[in-house]
Amino acid sequence: MPLPPDERLEDAARRYGSMRSFAAEYLRERIISGVLLPGESLQIDEIAQRLKVSATPVREALQSLRVEGFVDGVRGQGFRVHPITAADIEDVFLVHANVAGELAARAARSISDEQLRVLEALHYELLAAAVRGDVEALEARNNEFHHLLNHIVDAPRLRWLVALFSKYVPRNFYAQIEGWPEATRADHTQIIDAIKARDAEAARHAASEHIIHSGELLAAHFRSATASADSLPKL
């Protein structure tokens, strides 16, 4: 499958800091969202041309993705997308939910008044973006909300785990996932209400359910994307 056009390549490249990181994220998101299918061949030259970079960062990105389990190296044939299923995605989000719930519970117990004001402000900006239909702003505020929530307490190992799980979050594709904006708005409201009440167990439940819900939506999107591709005639 040819790589799709992306009008934000230059902005994305600057945001990720290095061409290797950018190429890895670009491919990772397209694998998780079902744009690149399980077993599909990945041609280094084609990807490099698409991203307007040299072959070296693309090759390095593919090696990183191989270690992460997103692609397989095939002797004499380069790389192929590793077989991933919707159930795999749900499993990752299930484990992620437990860690996110623990971070939210700890945050509810120790959040300062100033941190709460910032978290509430991000939440209201998120709601406003949802009303406007501004998905890009919605994604940005969503990321900032979770980043702050995860950094309220000093738990570096838990945040390390969240960083691993986040590799399965296709941020630039959430606009294409049916139900995601609505779920984000509703789920975040429950999280912020629990945090404001300093109710640790309610915060744990709300954050955990939010991650599970997101995983279910992504898995459903992945099933639909791969099923549609499988139904196309093979040349």
Side-chain angles (χ1 to χ4, degrees):
M1 178 186 295
L3 291 169
D6 189 329
E7 297 177 352
R8 297 184 293 173
L9 287 179
E10 292 184 4
D11 290 340
R14 285 193 294 269
R15 185 168 68 252
Y16 289 110
S18 73
M19 300 300 359
R20 182 195 64 78
S21 297
F22 165 53
E25 186 68 7
Y26 182 88
L27 294 169
R28 190 187 293 113
E29 289 200 344
R30 280 152 181 77
I31 292 170
I32 292 299
S33 61
V35 173
L36 295 172
L37 299 173
E40 186 164 345
S41 177
L42 299 171
Q43 302 299 319
I44 292 175
D45 290 342
E46 178 188 351
I47 297 168
Q49 182 178 12
R50 176 70 198 94
L51 300 185
K52 300 177 182 178
V53 300
S54 68
T56 298
V58 174
R59 186 176 295 106
E60 292 173 346
L62 287 167
Q63 290 290 0
S64 296
L65 294 176
R66 182 184 62 79
V67 173
E68 294 172 7
F70 287 98
V71 306
D72 295 320
V74 183
R75 186 181 296 276
Q77 300 181 42
F79 297 87
R80 292 185 180 276
V81 177
H82 181 78
I84 186 173
T85 68
D88 293 331
I89 294 172
E90 289 175 327
D91 286 344
V92 170
F93 276 75
L94 178 62
V95 181
H96 183 182
N98 287 310
V99 178
E102 177 62 25
L103 284 168
R106 295 186 189 185
R109 297 188 190 103
S110 60
I111 191 169
S112 69
D113 291 341
E114 177 59 26
Q115 287 171 325
L116 180 56
R117 280 193 290 271
V118 175
L119 197 67
E120 282 190 282
L122 288 171
H123 175 62
Y124 290 128
E125 290 175 14
L126 182 151
L127 294 179
V131 171
R132 297 194 308 270
D134 186 346
V135 178
E136 186 172 347
L138 177 60
E139 290 177 353
R141 299 297 86 75
N142 175 67
N143 294 338
E144 292 169 12
F145 181 95
H146 283 287
H147 182 269
L148 175 56
L149 186 62
N150 292 340
H151 282 76
I152 288 172
V153 295
D154 185 23
R157 293 301 179 184
L158 293 183
R159 288 198 297 271
W160 176 75
L161 288 171
V162 169
L164 290 180
F165 300 139
S166 294
K167 295 181 185 298
Y168 282 79
V169 180
R171 291 179 176 85
N172 294 322
F173 278 83
Y174 261 135
Q176 302 176 22
I177 299 175
E178 184 177 356
W180 179 78
E182 296 80 8
T184 299
R185 183 175 65 245
D187 293 355
H188 277 231
T189 297
Q190 294 184 25
I191 294 171
I192 198 69
D193 286 347
I195 296 290
K196 287 170 62 177
R198 265 71 172 189
D199 187 333
E201 290 312 308
R204 183 193 306 278
H205 178 76
S208 178
E209 287 300 305
H210 171 52
I211 299 300
I212 289 174
H213 192 185
S214 298
E216 290 171 344
L217 292 173
L218 177 56
H221 174 84
F222 184 87
R223 286 190 182 96
S224 177
T226 53
S228 297
D230 287 342
S231 69
L232 295 175
K234 302 298 187 291
L235 299 180

